[in-house]
Amino acid sequence: GDSVTQMEGPVTLSEEAFLTINCTYTATGYPSLFWYVQYPGEGLQLLLKATKADDKGSNKGFEATYRKETTSFHLEKGSVQVSDSAVYFCALTLYNFNKFYFGSGTKLNVKP
Amino acid sequence: GAVVSQHPSRVICKSGTSVKIECRSLDFQATTMFWYRQFPKQSLMLMATSNEGSKATYEQGVEKDKFLINHASLTLSTLTVTSAHPEDSSFYICSARASGNNEQFFGPGTRLTVL
């Protein structure tokens, strides 16, 4: 079946540290891949996306590259800030973009 | 960007009562709306997909008679949790998608607590 696997959290980093959150997927077709961010008490916000192999999504200093050969879409940021503290969800969707499959989420804590 | 609102943001109710949650697309027409449920420290699970003017399609394991979904207009979908029980306590999130657009826009969520 279709699924997304994320590294378990929480991830605790100091400000300005490098961030990597791993995400791998299993898909029966050719998926589009997404990273969403959820701040405390809020809904999900789209952070970035990639719709085909080798595409790189980027936003607010975050990047992720669609790697078909390794079925991965790892999230990276070169220098995290305290304001990046949130839960990050990797997700995929297929075909008509109706159904999203979400990973379990990774909580990021950034300390000053 | 497109904005989706939910009301209420937080609700506490007694066991056995029904609760209605509204999801609105504020600046676009949402031909399709989705309802998700998020358990603490877990991911979102799709409950149902609704298209304006037609019956919702429920995911396997979701009781359609317990979670009533109505998508009466292009900007409003409602989720009614009927005869709520403590195990229905959860964070409910809706999302909306415009016709011809692949992106789903998520609402801020509704925290339901059933006592």
Side-chain angles (χ1 to χ4, degrees):
Chain A
D2 305 304
S3 65
V4 175
T5 302
Q6 283 181 241
M7 62 186 287
E8 287 192 24
V11 173
T12 301
L13 296 173
S14 297
E15 206 165 22
E16 299 185 1
F18 184 86
L19 168 72
T20 300
I21 300 178
N22 289 338
C23 171
T24 57
Y25 67 88
T26 302
T28 51
Y30 201 153
S32 293
L33 303 173
F34 302 78
W35 276 100
Y36 283 86
V37 57
Q38 185 180 33
Y39 297 101
E42 299 184 14
L44 273 69
Q45 300 175 27
L46 177 64
L47 181 60
L48 54 84
K49 66 180 180 182
T51 57
K52 61 182 188 293
D54 300 325
D55 269 3
K56 177 186 283 188
S58 61
N59 185 26
K60 299 180 181 179
F62 291 89
E63 293 183 341
T65 301
Y66 188 144
R67 301 286 188 199
K68 188 178 179 184
E69 63 276 13
T70 55
T71 61
S72 64
F73 193 54
H74 304 321
L75 181 68
E76 296 181 337
K77 186 174 185 181
S79 176
V80 293
Q81 306 299 314
V82 173
S83 57
D84 294 326
S85 298
V87 180
Y88 292 82
F89 291 93
C90 186
L92 70 82
T93 187
L94 292 163
Y95 312 124
N96 61 4
F97 290 80
N98 264 358
K99 187 165 184 176
F100 273 69
Y101 297 85
F102 286 89
S104 56
T106 302
K107 185 172 184 178
L108 171 64
N109 295 316
V110 181
K111 299 191 173 182
Chain B
V3 179
V4 175
S5 70
Q6 281 184 241
H7 178 79
S9 58
R10 187 179 295 267
V11 57
I12 301 172
C13 69
K14 292 182 179 179
S15 186
T17 60
S18 294
V19 175
K20 180 184 285 187
I21 302 170
E22 294 185 347
C23 175
R24 293 181 185 273
S25 56
L26 298 185
D27 51 3
F28 68 100
Q29 293 187 326
T31 50
T32 307
M33 286 185 166
F34 307 84
W35 286 96
Y36 294 83
R37 183 173 179 177
Q38 185 181 26
F39 292 98
K41 300 184 180 180
Q42 295 187 33
S43 188
L44 283 75
M45 300 298 294
L46 179 65
M47 299 174 65
T49 302
S50 72
N51 292 296
E52 186 266 336
S54 61
K55 289 184 178 180
T57 302
Y58 289 81
E59 294 297 304
Q60 193 171 14
V62 178
E63 298 177 60
K64 64 177 71 174
D65 294 330
K66 181 167 185 61
F67 298 100
L68 301 179
I69 292 172
N70 184 280
H71 191 166
S73 76
L74 285 172
T75 59
L76 173 65
S77 176
T78 59
L79 167 68
T80 302
V81 183
T82 62
S83 186
H85 290 285
E87 57 264 32
D88 298 325
S89 299
S90 193
F91 196 54
Y92 293 87
I93 299 177
C94 74
S95 70
R97 194 186 77 185
S99 175
N101 191 322
N102 291 333
E103 187 171 348
Q104 289 188 27
F105 300 95
F106 287 81
T110 297
R111 171 76 59 193
L112 170 63
T113 303
V114 184
L115 302 176

